[in-house]
């Protein structure tokens, strides 16, 4: 029995489609696992009376995010819907469905980031309502502008500067937007009770360093799915992305170790700062450029978080604004610096465009968050009562504590 060229071509195409689908599915699962990292990082940082709430918030936020992104967000960003019959949706081994899953795990990172900033004093259902609108409208608005060319912004960058805004895995699109949204939510909520005593700032110690460390480790491992699998096809996979992620992570660890003076909270957040910053240019930079990017991000996080906690009224419990918002913005700009061929990068990137695109992302996040959280703040309030905050969100909201007190 002879095999025709068309049959061979069809078999190769089927194998390629199925391989790409499996590749992206594994990436989606790795990024989905990162949400456990977000949860345990928060559990280990907040006081014991708020640990159950931290766990429940993250998984509830993911459920709301999935619904918001399925019906609204994916359509806003990419113009696609899932209203066709199942046979149509499953064409090409269901690659588009798996792509949705992968992109959903990115979108759901927005409320997971916000959760760490507003911990210990936020009401439960108003925050879930905010999640629906930030994931359904605010985040996909900027996602579509950068990753789908919506509204002609990327085309304008290309016509004016010769290149578009480059954000390979979401330093600005995901982390920057999430961090700046979190800042607005934190400002609306105000400081936790007891943070200022006798006119001086008091810091609450992490409740469980092993849980905090577990969360950081899970995030670090999952991040290689976040970055490497942003190629979205096997053909596009790059060992450079993996190496740059590794070097930026190492830079963040070392910087936080030194700047943070052996503090375990800083040391375990250091790698996350480096990984946030390298997302945008991980496919362009030389590994040494990625290392420097991570070093700077680690120092930024330590000093800015320390300043916020000790000198301002911005009570960002996990430091998500400096970690994701500011390190994410630095990552967008760093791609325009270390992505240059003159510094060993692959080129094809403009520092001016990276700055403009980063500022655009910050603007979308701030305006969107003010509208969403401002409206909910006016309509129902965002903060627990003073009594509920004193008793802790676990008992006030979920009627159970993290440990059996008997």
């Amino acid at each position: 029995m002879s095999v025709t060229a068309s049959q061979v071509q069809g078999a190769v195409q089927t194998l390629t489609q199925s391989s790409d689908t499996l590749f992206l599915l594994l990436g989606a699962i790795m990024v989905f696992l990162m949400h456990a990292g977000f949860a345990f990082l928060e559990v280990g940082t907040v006081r014991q009376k708020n640990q159950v709430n931290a766990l429940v918030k993250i998984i509830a936020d993911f459920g709301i995010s999935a619904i918001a992104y399925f019906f609204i967000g994916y359509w806003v960003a990419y113009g696609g819907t899932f209203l066709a019959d199942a046979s149509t949706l499953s064409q090409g081994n269901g690659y588009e469905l798996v792509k949705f899953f992968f992109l959903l795990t990115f979108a759901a990172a927005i409320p997971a980031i916000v959760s760490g900033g507003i911990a210990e004093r936020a009401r439960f259902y108003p925050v879930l309502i905010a999640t629906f609108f930030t994931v359904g409208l605010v985040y996909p608005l900027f996602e579509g502008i950068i990753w789908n060319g919506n509204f002609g912004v990327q085309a304008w960058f290309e016509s004016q500067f010769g290149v578009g805004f480059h954000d390979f895995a979401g330093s600005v699109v995901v982390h920057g937007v999430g961090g700046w949204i979190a800042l607005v939510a934190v400002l609306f909520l105000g400081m936790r009770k007891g943070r200022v005593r006798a006119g001086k700032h008091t810091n609450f110690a992490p409740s469980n360093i092993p849980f905090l460390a577990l969360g950081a480790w899970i995030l670090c491992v999952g991040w290689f799915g976040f970055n490497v699998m942003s190629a979205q096809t096997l053909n596009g996979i790059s060992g450079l992305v993996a190496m740059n992620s590794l070097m930026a992570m190492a830079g963040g660890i070392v910087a936080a170790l030194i700047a943070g003076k052996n503090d375990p909270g800083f040391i375990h957040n250091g790698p996350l700062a480096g990984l946030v910053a390298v997302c945008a240019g991980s496919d362009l930079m030389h590994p040494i450029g990625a290392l420097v990017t991570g070093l700077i991000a680690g120092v930024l996080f330590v000093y800015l978080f320390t300043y916020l906690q000790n000198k301002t009224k911005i009570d960002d419990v996990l430091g998500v604004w400096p970690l994701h918002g500011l390190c994410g913005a630095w990552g967008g700009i760093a791609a325009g610096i270390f992505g240059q061929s003159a510094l060993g990068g692959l080129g094809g990137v403009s520092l001016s465009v990276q700055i403009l695109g980063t500022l655009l992302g910050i603007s979308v996040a701030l305006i969107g968050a003010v509208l969403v959280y401002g409206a909910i703040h006016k309509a129902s309030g965002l903060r627990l009562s003073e009594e509920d905050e004193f008793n802790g969100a676990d008992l006030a909201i979920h009627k159970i504590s993290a440990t059996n007190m008997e």
Side-chain angles (χ1 to χ4, degrees):
M1 178 180 176
S2 61
V3 179
T4 65
S6 60
Q7 288 176 318
V8 172
Q9 184 179 7
V12 170
Q13 184 178 8
T14 300
L15 179 61
T16 301
Q17 287 177 338
S18 58
S19 299
D20 286 343
T21 301
L22 178 59
F23 171 75
L24 199 56
L25 176 60
L26 293 174
I29 292 169
M30 289 180 72
V31 184
F32 180 42
L33 181 61
M34 290 175 70
H35 290 267
F38 282 120
F40 279 99
L41 189 69
E42 185 173 336
V43 167
T45 305
V46 299
R47 289 169 289 179
Q48 191 174 40
K49 62 183 179 180
N50 297 297
Q51 289 180 328
V52 171
N53 181 243
L55 291 169
V56 174
K57 264 193 307 176
I58 298 294
I59 198 166
D61 274 331
F62 193 90
I64 297 297
S65 297
I67 292 170
Y69 199 66
F70 182 87
F71 286 105
I72 304 173
Y74 192 77
W75 171 74
V76 170
Y78 301 102
T81 67
F82 301 98
L83 302 180
D85 59 77
S87 62
T88 301
L89 294 176
S90 61
Q91 289 178 357
N93 297 101
Y95 177 83
E96 289 299 320
L97 301 181
V98 172
K99 181 180 177 181
F100 163 81
F101 181 18
F102 183 70
L103 293 171
L104 163 64
T105 59
F106 280 53
I110 301 298
I113 290 167
V114 173
S115 178
I118 65 175
E120 301 201 321
R121 76 273 201 203
R123 295 177 63 199
F124 188 62
Y125 285 105
V127 167
L128 290 183
I129 293 171
T131 291
F132 184 87
F133 287 104
T134 53
V135 175
L137 294 172
V138 180
Y139 165 75
L141 177 65
F142 187 64
E143 177 191 18
I145 289 172
I146 301 304
W147 286 344
N148 197 47
N150 294 354
F151 303 109
V153 174
Q154 288 284 43
W156 184 82
F157 282 148
E158 290 171 9
S159 67
Q160 297 297 313
F161 300 93
V163 293
F165 179 72
H166 188 89
D167 191 352
F168 180 70
S171 285
V172 180
V173 173
V174 180
H175 299 285
V177 168
W180 287 88
I181 287 174
L183 174 63
V184 172
V186 166
L187 290 173
F188 273 118
L189 280 163
M191 298 183 75
R192 289 167 290 173
K193 299 297 181 183
R195 280 276 288 113
V196 177
R197 299 176 186 174
K200 294 184 178 180
H201 284 64
T202 300
N203 294 322
F204 301 128
S207 61
N208 192 311
I209 296 296
F211 274 160
L212 186 158
L214 175 64
W217 274 105
I218 293 172
L219 284 166
C220 285
V221 173
W223 224 295
F224 286 87
F226 196 99
N227 283 4
V228 176
M229 277 131 168
S230 283
Q232 298 190 20
T233 62
L234 271 174
N235 187 50
I237 193 170
S238 170
L240 182 64
V241 175
M243 174 61 83
N244 284 341
S245 300
L246 182 66
M247 295 306 290
M249 182 182 73
I253 293 171
V254 172
L257 173 67
I258 297 170
K261 301 176 181 178
N262 301 330
D263 182 287
F266 285 138
I267 293 169
H268 284 92
N269 276 281
L272 309 183
L275 286 163
V276 165
V278 82
C279 287
S282 57
D283 63 327
L284 294 178
M285 296 178 181
H286 187 280
I288 296 176
L291 175 63
V292 175
T293 297
L295 286 166
I296 293 173
V299 171
L300 273 175
F301 172 71
V302 170
Y303 284 113
L304 287 169
F305 181 68
T306 302
Y307 179 79
L308 289 181
Q309 293 298 95
N310 297 329
K311 301 294 184 181
T312 76
K313 293 183 178 181
I314 300 174
D315 190 7
D316 183 346
V317 180
L318 269 68
V320 298
W321 178 52
L323 180 66
H324 297 274
L326 292 175
C327 288
W330 158 238
I333 295 168
I337 299 172
F338 298 108
Q340 301 285 348
S341 56
L343 293 177
L346 298 182
V349 65
S350 162
L351 178 57
S352 298
V353 172
Q354 293 305 114
I355 293 171
L356 290 173
T358 299
L359 291 175
L360 177 61
I362 292 171
S363 300
V364 170
L366 290 176
I367 294 170
V370 167
L371 292 174
V372 171
Y373 284 95
I376 296 171
H377 176 68
K378 288 287 187 182
S380 64
L382 287 164
R383 185 160 179 159
L384 290 172
S385 68
E386 191 169 340
E387 180 182 359
D388 284 344
E389 185 180 342
F390 177 80
N391 292 331
D394 293 358
L395 292 177
I397 297 172
H398 309 290
K399 313 304 180 187
I400 191 168
S401 62
T403 56
N404 190 340
M405 304 302 290
E406 293 182 2

